Amino acid sequence: MKFHTQLAAVLISLVLPSVALAQEIDTGDTAWMLTSSALVLFMLLPGLSLFYAGLVRSKNVLSVLMQCFAIACAMSLLWFAVGYSLVFSGEGAWIGNLDKAFLSGITYNSMTGTIPESVFVVFQMTFIMITPALFVGGFAERMNFAAMLMFSVLWGLVVYIPVAHWVWGGGWLADIGLLDFAGGTVVHVTAGVSALVAALVLGNRRGFQQTPITPHSLTLTVVGAGMLWFGWFGFNGGSSLGANGAAGMAMLVTHLSAAAGSLAWMTIEWLRFRKPSVLGIVTGMVAGLGTITPASGFVGPIGGVVIGLCGGTVCYFATQLIRNGLKIDDSLDVFPVHGVGGALGTILAAFFVSAAYGGAGYAEGMAFTSQLGVQVIGVLATGAYAAIVSYALLKLVGLITPLRVDVDTEQQGLDVAQHGEKGYNI
Amino acid sequence: MKFHTQLAAVLISLVLPSVALAQEIDTGDTAWMLTSSALVLFMLLPGLSLFYAGLVRSKNVLSVLMQCFAIACAMSLLWFAVGYSLVFSGEGAWIGNLDKAFLSGITYNSMTGTIPESVFVVFQMTFIMITPALFVGGFAERMNFAAMLMFSVLWGLVVYIPVAHWVWGGGWLADIGLLDFAGGTVVHVTAGVSALVAALVLGNRRGFQQTPITPHSLTLTVVGAGMLWFGWFGFNGGSSLGANGAAGMAMLVTHLSAAAGSLAWMTIEWLRFRKPSVLGIVTGMVAGLGTITPASGFVGPIGGVVIGLCGGTVCYFATQLIRNGLKIDDSLDVFPVHGVGGALGTILAAFFVSAAYGGAGYAEGMAFTSQLGVQVIGVLATGAYAAIVSYALLKLVGLITPLRVDVDTEQQGLDVAQHGEKGYNI
Amino acid sequence: MKFHTQLAAVLISLVLPSVALAQEIDTGDTAWMLTSSALVLFMLLPGLSLFYAGLVRSKNVLSVLMQCFAIACAMSLLWFAVGYSLVFSGEGAWIGNLDKAFLSGITYNSMTGTIPESVFVVFQMTFIMITPALFVGGFAERMNFAAMLMFSVLWGLVVYIPVAHWVWGGGWLADIGLLDFAGGTVVHVTAGVSALVAALVLGNRRGFQQTPITPHSLTLTVVGAGMLWFGWFGFNGGSSLGANGAAGMAMLVTHLSAAAGSLAWMTIEWLRFRKPSVLGIVTGMVAGLGTITPASGFVGPIGGVVIGLCGGTVCYFATQLIRNGLKIDDSLDVFPVHGVGGALGTILAAFFVSAAYGGAGYAEGMAFTSQLGVQVIGVLATGAYAAIVSYALLKLVGLITPLRVDVDTEQQGLDVAQHGEKGYNI
Amino acid sequence: MKLVTAIIRPFKLDDVKDALSAIGVMGMTVSEVKGFGRQKGHTEIYRGAEYAIDFIPKTKIEVAVADDVLDTVIDAIVESAKGNKVGDGKIFVTALDNVVRIRTGETGAEAI
Amino acid sequence: MKLVTAIIRPFKLDDVKDALSAIGVMGMTVSEVKGFGRQKGHTEIYRGAEYAIDFIPKTKIEVAVADDVLDTVIDAIVESAKGNKVGDGKIFVTALDNVVRIRTGETGAEAI
Amino acid sequence: MKLVTAIIRPFKLDDVKDALSAIGVMGMTVSEVKGFGRQKGHTEIYRGAEYAIDFIPKTKIEVAVADDVLDTVIDAIVESAKGNKVGDGKIFVTALDNVVRIRTGETGAEAI
Ligand SMILES: Nc1ncnc2c1ncn2[C@@H]1O[C@H](COP(=O)(O)OP(=O)(O)O)[C@@H](O)[C@H]1O
Ligand SMILES: Nc1ncnc2c1ncn2[C@@H]1O[C@H](COP(=O)(O)OP(=O)(O)O)[C@@H](O)[C@H]1O
Ligand SMILES: Nc1ncnc2c1ncn2[C@@H]1O[C@H](COP(=O)(O)OP(=O)(O)O)[C@@H](O)[C@H]1O
C-alpha cells in the first residue's frame, strides 16, 4: 500500500536522520501538510473553543475560551521545549529522548520524509494543543484557572507525550501493530477518560440535574461545529503526511462518517421526541468524526458510513448513561462522545481495515482476530494509563492550589471573577 | 490551453478508467483539491448557514442552521449511495449509470486525472451539498422541517444529479459546449429558480411587507459573508481540478468580481439613500461571486471586474423587483441574487471568454454567437427543468406532510416548536 | 539558502518576464500559494474585522465591519488598476511603472517564478487589502465613512504602493538589504503609525477615559483572534512564495511567537491584577504575530520564541503608555501593538537571522551591525513616510468631507446613523 | 394619571402599538420580559434528554395616560392583544402621582 | 391588590419561583436588570488596565397579588432570596388600581 | 416613599447616576427599554429598500426614595438627563406602599 510505504519511509527517516536529509522535498506533500497544520489549529481556535463556549452559560463563556486559548499556547511551548523530542526522537519503547529538545538541530533544510521537518513539527504540535483542550468540556464552569493550567501542562508532559510516543513515535503500541491513524487512542480516548476523571474529582456543578443549565448560544456551537468538520479534514487528511491516496480516502471517509453520525443522532431524537435538535445533529457529527479518526486512513467508503452510524448511535446512548443514568456532570459530554467514540473507532478499525470491506487491508502477518486483540490492548492501555495519571495529577495540583472555584465565583460566573471580563455588553 | 487539455484528460479518464489508473498522481494538484474540498465545505458550514441565520429573526435562527446542516449530511449520503455514480459514471446524454453506486470500486489507488478519485468524489460532493442549502433562503422561517428534508433529498436526486450530469458528467449540455466552469447553471440557476418556486408554493411569511422583518444579527451575516468569499476560492479555484494557471486565474477573477459586485451595490445604495449598508455590500459580494462562477475559469481580469459590476447592479434591481415589485417573499432573496446572477454570468461568459478581452478563447469551432446560443440554451434548459420539477416535488411532498408550519409555530418560532431549542439564553 | 535562491529567482523573473515564462510551474508551490492567498483574505474577512468589531460598542459594530469590508473591496480594484503594476513592474528605486496596469498581459500562462502570475497577483493583493484595514482600529467609533474610504484609497496609492515597492518590488530598501519577510515595515509599521496619526487628528472619542468604553462582545474578538492566527500562517508562510523549507520554518516560528506573545501578556496581567484576561491573551497573540512577521522566514525556533516573548512584553507596556500615559485614543491600540511590534520585529530580525541562533544566516556581505543599521533605516524611513503622508492626506480629505461624525451620530452610533442598520435585534 | 402596564405576546406588539396610536396615545415604553403563568411552557431537548421550560417570552408595554382615557386605552389593548388563548397576558393599572417631561420640566398631564 | 416588585440575585430566580409556586402564586413576570447599590461592583481588565464597574446583574420579578396574601408573598420572597450578604436585593410594594386579564376581559382580583 | 421611574437616553446614564450619587441616592435599578413617542425614529435599509423604525433605544432607571427627597431627586434627574431635544424622556412617580430589604427584612424608609 502506497501510504504504508510512505509511513515506513517516515519512520525510517526519523530513525536515520541522514536518510531523511537525503530525501527530496515534495512540494505537493508539503503544501498539503502546511494546510493541514493550519486546519488543525483552526479546529481548536476558534473551532472547538467556540463549540464549547456556546454550550456554557453566558457568565462563563470567556472562561472556556480562555482555557482553550491558554492550553493552546502552553502546549506549543511544551512541544518546543521537550515534547517533540520525547515523542519523535529516539527509539525507546516507552519514551523518546531529548536530542531535539528546544527543536535543536531543526533547520531550514531538515526533512521528515518528503516534507520539511519544521512542517512535521507544527503538524504534530497541533495535536498536543487540541488534546487537553478537549477535556476542558469535562470540568467547564467550575475549575480554577490556575489549577486548570497546571494540570493541563503536567498532563501534556506525563500523559500525552508518552502515549503519543507509544503509538506514533515508534513505541510499544506501534511495535505490536496498533492501527490508530489520527488519534483514536492518543487523542480521543486519553482526553475523554481524563475529562471523566476530572468531572468526578471536581464534582458536579451547583444545580446540575436540578435546574436546566442551558447553552447560552447554540448559534456559536453550530458555528464551532462547522469549523470542527472543516478542520478535521486536516486532522485526519493530514495524518497521511502527504497529498496522496490515503489523504484523499481519509478525507472521504471522515466526511461520510460525520454525515452518518449526524443523521444517526438526529434520527434517534426525532423518533424519541418528534423534535430533531440542532445540538443533537452537531453532537452526532462530533461523534462520527471522533469515531472515524483512528480508522480514517485504513478503511473504505462503506466502512466510513457504517462507522459513522455506529458512532452516532453508541455515543448517543453513552451520553444518556453518563448524564442521566450515572448523574455524572461531565459537563459537555467529553467522555461519552470522544472517549467512547475514540475507543469504538479503534476497535471497529480492526474490521473495516479488511480489504473485503474496501479497506486498505491488514498489515503483513495480521488477521482480523490478531488485529482486534491489538486494538483492544491499545484502547485499554491508553485509557487506563490516562485515568490513573490524571487522577494522580489532579490530587497533586489540588495540594498547590484549589481545583475548584468557591461558591461565590461559581454563582457570579468565572468570567468576571477569574478573568475580570464579561462576554457581552449588548 | 493547458486547462482545457487537463479537463479533457479528466473527461477521458472518466470514460476510460484504465487510462485514469495509468495516470500518475500529481501531489500539488492533489494538495490543492484536498484544500478546495475543505473550502467548499466551509463555505456551506458554517459560511452560508451563518449568512442566512443572521438574516432571520432570532426565534428562527436555529431552524436555518439545522436545515443547512441536515441537507449537508443527507446530500453526502445521497452522493455516496447513487449521486456520484449517476453523475460521473457512464456516457448517457441524460444520466449516468449505477456502476459506482455506494462508491464501489473506489480504492486508495483510484485516480481521476492527476488526483486520487477519492478527492474528486469529495470535491464534487461538496457541490451537491451546498446547492439545495442555497434554496433554504427562499422558504426560511415557515417551512416544516420534515417536508424540507424530504423535498431536498428528492430534489438532489431528480434535479441536481441529472443537471450535473448534463453539464459536468459528459451529458448533452457538455456535448453542445456549454461553458459553466463552477456551477452558474448547475448550482445557482437551479437553486435560485427552485427557491422562487418554493416561495410561491408556500406563500409569504405572516406580516411580510406589513411589519419590518429585520435580521436578528447582521454581525453573523457579515461573518458568514467573509466565509463565503474565502470558501468560494475553493469553489471556483478548485473547479480546474488542479493547481494550475486556470485555478490561479479563476481565483483572481473571482476575487475581482466579488470586490466589484460589492462596490456596485454599495454605490447604488449610497446614491439612493445616502447610507451604504453592510448588508448591501455583502449582498453585492454574493452577487459578484455568483455571477462570476460559471465564467471564472474562462475569462481574464477585466472580464472579472466587468462581470462583477454587472452582477452587483443587475441583482440589486432584480431584488427590488421580486421583493417590492412583485411582493414575493423569497425571504433571503435567493432567486434575484443566485438565480439571476448565475444566469447572467453564464451568458456573459460567452463574451468574456473571448481572447480579445483577456479570456481563454473560444473552443475550436465556436464563435461569439454560437457560444451565446449555447449559453442561453443552458440557462433556459436548467432553469425550466428545475422550476417544473421543483413544483411537482413540492406538491408531492405536500401530500405526505404539511409543507408549511401552522400559525402558532410560525409565531412562536421554528426553533422552539420544531427543534426544541432556543438560539440564545444571554 | 534554498529560499534565498528562490526569492532571487522570483526577482529575476519579475525583471525579465521571458525568464519567468520559461520557468516550469510547480503545482505544489502553486497549491500552497493558492491556499495562502485564501488564508490572508480570511485573516481580514472575517478575521480582523471580527476581532475589531467585538471591541467596539454594539452601536458601532457594523460600522467597523463595513469599514473593513469596503476597504477590502476598494483596495482590490486599486491593485487591479495600478497597484500591482506600480509595485512589481519596473526597476525604479522609488516606484514601479504602469506596464501592467489593469493587469494587462497577465494570461492563463503567465508565470512568476514557479507559480502562475495570477496567483502572485492575488497573494500580494491580500496584503494591500489588510494593511489599511488595520488602521481602522485607530479611529473606530467616530470617523465619517466617506472620509474613511477616501483616505484609505489615497493611502493605498500614496503610502502602501510606494513602500511595498521599496521593500518587495526591488526598490531602494530591497537594494540596501532590508530583511522584511512578510511585512513588518510595509504592513505593520505603516498601518500602526497611520492609526496613531489618525487618532491624533480626529481626537479622542467622547467619554474616553471618563466612562469605561467596554467591548460589546469579547466572544467575537476571541473568534476573530483565532482566525487571525490561522490566517497568519498564510501571511507569513506564503511569503516564501512556495511550499518549501522557508514556508515551513516561517509557519513554525510564527506559531511559536504567537504562543509566546500570548503567554507573556497573560503573565504580566496575572502578576499585576491576579486576573489573566482573555482579551489580554489574544492581544499578546497579535503582538507576537506582528512582531515575528518581518523575521519569520529568516529566524529559527528559538528566535521565534524569544521574539514572541519580547513582542508580548514590549507591546503591553507600549499600550499602557499610549492609552493611559499619553491618553491618546488609538481606540483599538493599533500603534502600540502593530506599529511597535512591527518595528521591534524588524530590528530583532537583525539578531536572530544569525545562523548562531538557528536563523538562515546573514546575506553575503552582511554582518550583525550592518544588518542592524539597515533594519533601523527601514523602520525609520517607512514610519516617518507613513506618518507625514497620512497627516497630509487626512488634512486633504478633511477639506472635502468632514473627517469626524457629528455629536449626535457619535451618540446614536454609526450603525444606524451612517449605515441605516442595527447590529442586533435579539 | 395612571400607569398602564400590559404584558402581551411578543408578536402582538405591532397591533397594540397601532391600536394605541389610533386612539391618540402619543408614547409608550416597551421591554422584553419572561412570563410565568397558566400558559404551559414548552419542552426543550438537550443532548438527547427532554426538560421543561416554564418561562415564556413576553413583551411589556408601559403607557402613562390621563384618567379620562384610561378605559379607552385598556379596551384598545385588550382588543388588539387578545387571541383568546391562555397566555394572552394581563394589564396592571397603578396610580401615577406625577409625570415630568425631562426636556421642558412640564409636570402632570401635560407631560404625558 | 398590590404589585410586588422584587430585585434579586439572578441565580436565586429558581428558588424564588418555587417558593412562590408553593404558596399558590400562579403567575409572575421576570426581567433582567442592572443594579447599583451598597453592594460593591467588581473590577474589569481592559488591555492591561483595571477599572471599576458599578452595575451588577440583577433579576426583577413582578407579581400582582391580592391584598390578603401580600404578607405571605413578601415572606416567601424574602426567605427564598436571602443570602445574608449585601446585595440580596429589595422588594417594592405598590397599590394596583386594577388588573385586567386580556383573554377574558375579567378585572380585579379574579384577573390575577 | 415614592418610586421614581425615569426613561432617559442611553448615553446619559452615567451622568444621571453621578447626579443621583451626588445627592446621596444609594441605589437604583436600570434596564434597557425601547421607547415610542414624539421623537422621530430612524430609517433602516434592508437589501436596497428603506423602511421606518419607530422604536428607539432608551434606558429606564427606577429609584425608590423617601418622600422628603423626592423633589431633589426629580430635579437631579431632569438636570442631568436634559438635552433640550425631543426624546429626552419622562419621569413617572408612583407611591410606594412599602419597601423591604431582603437581607435584613427591614421595611419602610430604612430599607431604601
Ligand atoms: N400574578 C401575576 N403577576 C405578574 N404577572 C403575571 C401574573 N399572572 C400572569 N402574569 C403575566 O401574564 C402572563 C400571562 O399569564 P397566564 O396566566 O399565562 O395567562 P392569562 O393571561 O391568559 O391568564 C404571564 O406569562 C406573566 O408574564
Ligand atoms: N433606592 C433604590 N431604588 C431602586 N433600586 C434599588 C435601590 N436600592 C437598591 N436597589 C436595588 O437593589 C439592589 C441591591 O441593593 P444593595 O444596596 O446593593 O443591597 P441590599 O439589597 O443588601 O441593601 C441594587 O443592586 C439595586 O438593583
Ligand atoms: N405616555 C407615555 N407612556 C410611557 N412612556 C412614554 C410615554 N410618552 C413617552 N414615553 C417614553 O418617553 C420617551 C420620550 O418621549 P418623547 O415623546 O419621544 O419625547 P419627550 O420626552 O421629549 O416628550 C419615549 O421614547 C418613551 O419611552
Side-chain angles (χ1 to χ4, degrees), chain A residues 26 28-29 42 214-219 223 229-230 243 245 248-249 251-252 255 262 276-279 285 297-299, chain B residues 27-28 30-31 34-35 38 41-42 50 66 69 73 76 106-108 118-119 122 125 129 145 220 417 419 421 423-425:
Chain A
D26 182 310
D29 288 346
F42 191 71
T214 50
H216 89 280
S217 171
L218 284 175
T219 308
V223 174
W229 192 334
F230 171 68
M249 191 58 90
M251 190 183 264
L252 174 56
H255 184 96
S262 301
S277 74
V278 78
L279 177 58
M285 178 208 78
F298 306 118
V299 305
Chain B
T27 57
T30 302
L34 287 162
T35 306
L41 171 72
F42 191 71
L50 207 47
M66 181 71 182
F69 213 99
C73 296
S76 299
I106 296 175
T107 69
Y108 282 75
S118 52
V119 179
V122 176
M125 175 159 39
M129 289 163 65
F145 182 70
L220 291 186
H419 306 292
E421 294 173 306
Y424 305 96
N425 288 296

Side-chain angles (χ1 to χ4, degrees), chain D residues 7 34-39 58 85-90 92, chain E residues 3 25-29 62-65 101-103 111-112:
Chain D
I7 313 291
K34 292 180 293 179
F36 173 80
R38 286 165 192 78
Q39 182 189 1
K58 296 280 170 192
K85 293 216 193 94
V86 175
D88 280 350
K90 312 268 176 184
F92 304 121
Chain E
L3 182 66
V25 169
M26 303 285 292
M28 69 191 81
T29 300
E62 287 165 298
V63 204
V65 297
R101 189 191 307 277
I102 291 173
R103 169 165 48 96
I112 291 179

Side-chain angles (χ1 to χ4, degrees), chain E residues 7 35-36 38-39 87 89-90, chain F residues 27-29 62-64 101 103:
Chain E
I7 313 291
F36 174 81
R38 286 166 194 77
Q39 181 188 2
K90 314 267 177 184
Chain F
M28 70 191 80
T29 300
E62 287 165 299
V63 204
R101 189 191 306 276
R103 170 166 47 97

Side-chain angles (χ1 to χ4, degrees), chain B residues 1 3-4 179 249 253 257 291-292 294-311 343-363 367-369 371-372 375, chain C residues 80 106-108:
Chain B
M1 228 76 5
F3 71 100
H4 275 161
L179 296 177
M249 191 58 90
V253 299
S257 184
T291 308
I292 194 69
S296 52
F298 306 118
V299 305
I302 293 183
V305 172
V306 177
I307 287 175
L309 292 173
C310 294
L344 179 67
T346 305
I347 286 163
L348 290 175
F351 294 82
F352 290 103
V353 67
S354 166
Y357 304 121
Y362 293 102
F368 166 57
T369 42
Q371 188 68 59
L372 183 63
Q375 301 299 99
Chain C
F80 159 78
I106 296 175
T107 69
Y108 281 76

Side-chain angles (χ1 to χ4, degrees), chain E residues 15-16 19-20 23 71-81:
Chain E
D15 292 348
V16 175
L20 289 173
I23 57 165
D71 292 340
T72 334
V73 164
I74 290 178
D75 287 351
I77 296 177
V78 167
E79 283 320 306
S80 55

